[in-house]
């Protein structure tokens, strides 16, 4: 069975600082990995996804993530946080024939 | 191009009642999935509809049922509501021909329906 663990339910950074949100996955098949963002009272918006190919994936709003098979990780980063990045972030995994599994989420707070 | 739409936005029901939530997929999409997101948690997969049939199901009781119409829109029905059914219910759609969302295709989410059971 697949699963996702997001380390840290809350992350707080200063505006302009590096954002690092951690995600580790477990999958018995080659995984497809996703990061979604959820703003208050809204649905989920795709930031980026990894399916095959290049392990460094660039997404919207300056976010990127690197698939590291040896570490079973897919951490999300952004070089410089902006106030508008404050939201809930979800990592998700699915493999062929399986349903999508989401992590519990990480709430990002950006301090001025 | 309208995205995924859901109705109603909010709903308040009492224990034991039944509820129907509705979803219209993004234009060009034929696969619809439903998720339950409890407060402070990630979404949990309920089921997926494709070609008007339930194709996959998560770990949810039979009180949760659904339907997909020929125009690809979908309904989620929950019978005998429990307090624990209070959550945000999310609908997501995937592109036509993707063969379902579980092949790395992007799922596009609607804004959700907030269900409160009293």
């Amino acid at each position: 069975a697949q699963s996702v663990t997001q380390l840290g339910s809350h992350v707080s950074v200063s505006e302009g600082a590096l954002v690092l949100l951690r995600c580790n996955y477990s999958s018995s098949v080659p995984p497809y990995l996703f990061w979604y963002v959820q703003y208050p009272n809204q649905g989920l918006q795709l930031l980026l996804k990894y399916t095959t190919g290049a392990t460094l994936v660039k997404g919207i709003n300056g976010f990127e993530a690197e698939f590291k098979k040896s570490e079973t990780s897919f951490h999300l980063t952004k070089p410089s946080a902006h106030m508008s990045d404050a939201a809930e972030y979800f990592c998700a995994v699915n493999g062929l024939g399986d349903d999508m599994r989401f992590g519990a989420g990480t709430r990002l707070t950006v301090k001025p | 191009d309208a995205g995924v739409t859901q109705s109603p936005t909010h709903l308040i029901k009492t224990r034991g009642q039944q509820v129907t939530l509705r979803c219209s997929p993004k234009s060009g999409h034929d696969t619809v999935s439903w998720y339950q997101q409890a407060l402070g948690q990630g979404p949990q997969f309920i089921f997926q509809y494709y070609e008007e049939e339930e194709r996959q199901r998560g770990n949810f009781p039979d009180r949760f049922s659904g339907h997909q119409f020929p125009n690809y829109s979908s309904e989620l029905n929950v019978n005998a509501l429990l307090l624990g059914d209070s959550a945000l219910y999310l609908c997501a759609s995937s592109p036509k021909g993707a063969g379902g969302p579980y092949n790395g295709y992007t799922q596009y989410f609607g804004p959700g329906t907030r269900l409160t059971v009293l």
Side-chain angles (χ1 to χ4, degrees):
Chain A
Q2 302 172 112
S3 65
V4 169
T5 301
Q6 292 185 240
L7 301 175
S9 58
H10 290 88
V11 170
S12 181
V13 301
S14 297
E15 192 174 18
L18 171 71
V19 175
L20 171 60
L21 305 183
R22 300 178 187 273
C23 172
N24 288 91
Y25 70 90
S26 172
S27 176
S28 58
V29 297
Y32 300 120
L33 295 158
F34 305 79
W35 275 99
Y36 282 88
V37 61
Q38 186 176 35
Y39 297 99
N41 301 313
Q42 293 188 28
L44 277 69
Q45 180 185 7
L46 180 72
L47 281 176
L48 49 82
K49 68 177 182 181
Y50 169 79
T51 53
T52 58
T55 56
L56 182 62
V57 181
K58 295 186 183 300
I60 62 171
N61 301 338
F63 285 94
E64 62 181 38
E66 187 171 10
F67 170 61
K68 291 187 177 181
K69 185 178 179 180
S70 61
E71 299 178 8
T72 60
S73 69
F74 191 56
H75 302 330
L76 181 70
T77 61
K78 182 175 180 177
S80 177
H82 192 271
M83 296 298 290
S84 61
D85 294 327
E88 188 88 18
Y89 291 80
F90 293 95
C91 182
V93 62
N94 81 274
L96 189 62
D98 292 325
D99 56 287
M100 183 171 280
R101 301 292 176 92
F102 284 84
T106 297
R107 181 171 299 278
L108 176 66
T109 301
V110 182
K111 298 174 292 185
Chain B
D1 176 25
V4 179
T5 60
Q6 292 186 244
S7 63
T9 304
H10 294 87
L11 206 52
I12 299 175
K13 292 286 188 177
T14 57
R15 282 178 297 175
Q17 286 189 311
Q18 179 265 342
V19 68
T20 297
L21 311 182
R22 295 176 176 81
C23 170
S24 291
K26 187 175 170 64
S27 177
H29 289 190
D30 63 355
T31 300
V32 173
S33 299
W34 287 92
Y35 292 82
Q36 180 194 67
Q37 186 180 16
L39 198 61
Q41 298 183 23
Q44 287 199 312
F45 173 72
I46 303 175
F47 43 53
Q48 171 204 349
Y49 275 85
Y50 173 63
E51 293 183 336
E52 301 180 48
E53 290 188 14
E54 183 182 295
R55 298 289 178 172
Q56 282 191 307
R57 189 179 183 91
N59 188 27
F60 280 80
D62 292 344
R63 297 187 298 109
F64 290 77
S65 63
H67 188 76
Q68 186 178 36
F69 299 93
N71 67 352
Y72 310 121
S73 67
S74 177
E75 289 183 348
L76 164 65
N77 301 293
V78 187
N79 295 322
L81 285 167
L82 304 174
L83 295 179
D85 295 331
S86 294
L88 180 68
Y89 288 85
L90 296 165
C91 169
S93 71
S94 295
K96 184 174 294 187
Y102 307 111
N103 294 294
Y105 288 90
T106 298
Q107 293 188 62
Y108 295 82
F109 283 81
T113 293
R114 174 74 62 188
L115 173 64
T116 302
V117 182
L118 302 176

